[in-house]
Amino acid sequence: MFTLAQARHLVATLRPRVDELIRLRADLAELRADLADHGVSVLGGRAELKSLEARLHAVLEELHQHDIQVKGIAPVLLDFPGERDGRAVLWCWLEGDDGVCWYHRAECGFAGRRPV
């Protein structure tokens, strides 16, 4: 369980990893498209593709080790289990957010997001 302050601190602390995840996601998309269309890419070939995939999975594993729920990578969506007013919630961070400024009840999902 995370307090809101802990979730905010963890997002700030892990921001370099999240930024790396975003770069890896973009490189993978471009490399896959180039290889599918032309069989070659300035980003490399099959070996580089596998390396990027491995690095992306390593970053995701690092986030999971902090008990962060990764709900999506395009865009990056992170949830942090917590409690608000005696009710279980997920503190929610979406790529592009300045910080953790949203929450939702676990059973409501993203559609139930509310400002903190």
Side-chain angles (χ1 to χ4, degrees), residues 1-19 59-70 76 78-82 91-94 97-101:
M1 295 289 265
F2 294 90
T3 65
L4 177 57
Q6 290 169 328
R8 286 177 168 165
H9 176 74
L10 202 48
V11 164
T13 302
L14 294 174
R15 189 58 196 242
R17 296 282 79 65
V18 173
D19 291 343
V59 171
L60 290 173
E61 180 56 33
E62 183 179 346
L63 296 175
H64 286 127
Q65 287 176 358
H66 289 279
D67 295 325
I68 298 170
Q69 297 177 12
V70 180
V76 178
L78 307 177
D79 280 344
F80 304 80
W91 306 112
C92 187
W93 181 86
L94 177 65
D97 288 351
D98 291 329
V100 179
C101 301

Side-chain angles (χ1 to χ4, degrees):
M1 295 289 265
F2 294 90
T3 65
L4 177 57
Q6 290 169 328
R8 286 177 168 165
H9 176 74
L10 202 48
V11 164
T13 302
L14 294 174
R15 189 58 196 242
R17 296 282 79 65
V18 173
D19 291 343
E20 181 180 5
L21 178 63
I22 293 166
R23 283 190 306 277
L24 289 165
R25 176 190 72 200
D27 287 350
L28 273 168
E30 188 175 325
L31 181 55
R32 286 181 179 139
D34 287 349
L35 293 177
D37 290 346
H38 312 292
V40 297
S41 173
V42 297
L43 294 173
R46 202 142 170 83
E48 287 75 18
L49 177 76
K50 292 298 180 188
S51 176
L52 287 170
E53 288 174 341
R55 184 63 196 138
L56 183 132
H57 288 289
V59 171
L60 290 173
E61 180 56 33
E62 183 179 346
L63 296 175
H64 286 127
Q65 287 176 358
H66 289 279
D67 295 325
I68 298 170
Q69 297 177 12
V70 180
K71 298 292 178 81
I73 65 167
V76 178
L77 177 59
L78 307 177
D79 280 344
F80 304 80
E83 187 176 288
R84 180 181 170 102
D85 300 328
R87 175 172 267 164
V89 298
L90 295 169
W91 306 112
C92 187
W93 181 86
L94 177 65
E95 182 179 331
D97 288 351
D98 291 329
V100 179
C101 301
W102 298 87
Y103 75 98
H104 57 86
R105 290 179 15 200
E107 67 272 16
C108 295
F110 188 83
R113 278 181 101 206
R114 298 179 181 276
V116 171

